[in-house]
Amino acid sequence: SKSRSKSRSKSRSKSPAKGSNERVTRVIDVDKDDAAFVLGRGGSTKRKIARVSGTEIELDEHALTITLSGTAEGCSHGIDYIDYVRQQRVGPVTISTEKERNDFTAYAVPGDCIGFVMGRGGATLRSMEEEWGVLMFFAKTADQRSKDDGEEQLCIFGPLAARRGAQLKTMSAVEHKHPGYCVSSKGELRSVERVRGDADRDGWGVDTVPLTDDSFSYALGAQGSTRRKLAAASGCILEYVGRLACFAGYKQDRRRGKDYLRWLLEQRTGSSVVEDPKSRQDCTIVKVPAQSVAFLTGHRGESLRQIERESSTFMFTEGDRNDRSKPFDNLLIFSFSRSAREHAAEIVEDRIAQHKRLGDRAPPMGGGGGGGYGGAR
């Protein structure tokens, strides 16, 4: 059916200025089949479009209308996303690249990796959409050149950080399935062709750090837990493409992420060395009585890892953890978020107080040996 779009802005201004936060309303008509498809199972597709576009979306299944409320740009994006979803119902989607837009990334996926990136029934793609808050699907771009290698364009819509995270996650999957596609023989990330408007802004970028096979396993952790921990604490996007650790974000975020990875890897063979932790804005120091270290740490460091997961922080002790002559150990708690560090410090203080109350009755929970207290998985 033909689409109708009209604006009901609360302001008298007929057309809000570009980039304006003034709220507007857009209404489009859909047919019955499209309405069901846009709604999705349990409303999942509608919620996804609303999340990515930053709008509120109401679907009236009786009047067969979709109402979007938000900024003019958000509503415009939302209407585009609804159109792409409608196209998927009847055939392949075609995306115009003539118009410069700030919400679109296209990544060429080789033919032998498409099924792997999609997953069974599209489950892998849906999982990446959920993780990053983006809209992802394979489509043809208007200026796409004819190729014989079966490459298809994976279209990613959403804010810059979310798109870059989803793209790196996709590249990680592609490099796993098709080694050498994303990483050159020199161990460098291959450059990626971008569509018009898909630019890194305000100092945004990607840094890489090569990993050995052993350090890769250590930095990944069980089911990726260590990678996720470092990313959450540093506020930096971190994905491993082949044996390259890729840090995406603003300069200070990338620097933090690389620091955290370096300290983590130092603990495989010894202790991490942090120069003047008191001067860092991302560090909170808690003094832990020597007799409470084992209780706080838990067996193989698992109790400390649990605090990290709960607070989205990265923590380890300063100096030689085997030096038992010190009355206190300095526990360094790292995160870009002050509230996250404060939350972690409160939990640690509570555990120390708990150990003091229990005294000798505290159950033996293992020590900090084997790198557990130092902070791996």
Side-chain angles (χ1 to χ4, degrees):
S1 67
K2 204 169 183 179
S3 175
R4 166 173 59 91
S5 178
K6 61 183 180 182
S7 172
R8 290 196 294 266
S9 173
K10 293 179 181 178
S11 165
R12 292 184 181 182
S13 170
K14 292 183 180 179
S15 180
K18 189 174 181 181
S20 167
N21 289 324
E22 181 183 349
R23 291 186 67 82
V24 300
T25 300
R26 300 280 189 266
V27 181
I28 59 173
D29 292 327
V30 290
D31 62 31
K32 191 173 182 180
D33 290 336
D34 279 342
F37 204 67
V38 170
L39 183 63
R41 183 177 298 174
S44 59
T45 304
K46 186 192 77 159
R47 286 194 300 273
K48 177 169 62 181
I49 294 171
R51 177 186 178 190
V52 177
S53 62
T55 61
E56 295 175 10
I57 297 178
E58 295 297 331
L59 192 156
D60 189 327
E61 294 182 82
H62 299 290
L64 293 178
T65 60
I66 298 176
T67 303
L68 302 91
S69 300
T71 64
E73 183 178 67
C75 288
S76 177
H77 287 166
I79 290 171
D80 284 345
Y81 303 158
I82 289 169
D83 184 49
Y84 301 149
V85 168
R86 293 164 76 177
Q87 287 185 51
Q88 289 178 58
R89 187 176 69 82
V90 293
V93 182
T94 300
I95 307 291
S96 170
T97 53
E98 291 180 9
K99 184 179 73 170
E100 182 175 311
R101 52 188 307 155
N102 62 5
D103 66 332
F104 176 36
T105 293
Y107 180 68
V109 176
D112 60 346
C113 298
I114 293 170
F116 187 65
V117 170
M118 286 283 292
R120 182 176 295 178
T124 303
L125 216 54
R126 299 292 83 78
S127 173
M128 285 194 280
E129 285 184 327
E130 182 65 28
E131 178 180 357
W132 291 105
V134 294
L135 185 65
M136 304 175 74
F137 51 85
F138 284 96
K140 296 182 184 298
T141 54
D143 63 349
Q144 190 173 343
R145 300 174 187 86
S146 177
K147 295 185 178 180
D148 298 326
D149 56 9
E151 272 188 1
E152 287 194 28
Q153 293 291 329
L154 178 61
C155 297
I156 308 171
F157 290 90
L160 175 63
R163 298 199 315 274
R164 292 290 180 263
Q167 181 181 2
L168 282 171
K169 177 76 78 175
T170 301
M171 292 168 68
S172 178
V174 168
E175 184 66 17
H176 177 78
K177 182 74 173 175
H178 190 138
Y181 186 83
C182 303
V183 180
S184 72
S185 58
K186 295 180 179 179
E188 298 172 346
L189 206 61
R190 296 186 190 276
S191 61
V192 176
E193 190 175 332
R194 292 184 180 173
V195 294
R196 192 179 305 166
D198 183 21
D200 291 334
R201 296 177 174 87
D202 305 320
W204 182 278
V206 177
D207 292 341
T208 61
V209 173
L211 299 169
T212 64
D213 286 347
D214 287 344
S215 62
F216 170 78
S217 298
Y218 193 76
L220 183 64
Q223 298 178 326
S225 58
T226 303
R227 178 191 62 77
R228 289 193 299 273
K229 172 178 75 178
L230 296 180
S234 65
C236 180
I237 294 167
L238 172 59
E239 291 289 343
Y240 301 149
V241 180
R243 292 297 181 264
L244 275 183
C246 300
F247 300 86
Y250 296 107
K251 189 173 182 179
Q252 68 270 25
D253 300 328
R254 302 196 304 270
R255 186 185 297 122
R256 250 195 321 269
K258 289 185 289 186
D259 282 347
Y260 293 4
L261 177 64
R262 185 179 73 254
W263 296 331
L264 177 89
L265 295 179
E266 284 174 353
Q267 292 166 33
R268 290 185 61 231
T269 54
S271 301
S272 302
V273 177
V274 181
E275 292 185 12
D276 196 11
K278 292 180 181 177
S279 70
R280 294 187 63 105
Q281 294 185 334
D282 62 341
C283 182
T284 295
I285 303 174
V286 176
K287 286 189 175 298
V288 180
Q291 64 269 24
S292 297
V293 167
F295 179 82
L296 177 68
T297 305
H299 180 60
R300 296 182 64 82
E302 181 50 38
S303 294
L304 209 61
R305 301 291 76 77
Q306 179 58 43
I307 299 173
E308 288 180 327
R309 286 191 291 271
E310 185 178 334
S311 59
S312 295
T313 58
F314 172 46
M315 58 180 73
F316 53 87
T317 49
E318 186 179 21
D320 183 1
R321 71 174 75 99
N322 294 314
D323 181 2
R324 301 305 181 196
S325 64
K326 299 178 294 183
F328 290 93
D329 275 359
N330 281 340
L331 179 66
L332 308 182
I333 303 174
F334 290 96
S335 173
F336 77 100
S337 164
R338 180 178 176 179
S339 61
R341 298 195 309 272
E342 289 175 346
H343 180 43
E346 286 175 5
I347 299 173
V348 169
E349 297 282 10
D350 284 347
R351 297 280 171 88
I352 294 171
Q354 181 186 9
H355 183 243
K356 285 181 179 177
R357 287 196 304 273
L358 292 171
D360 293 337
R361 294 179 290 113
M365 299 182 69
Y373 196 26
R377 313 172 184 204

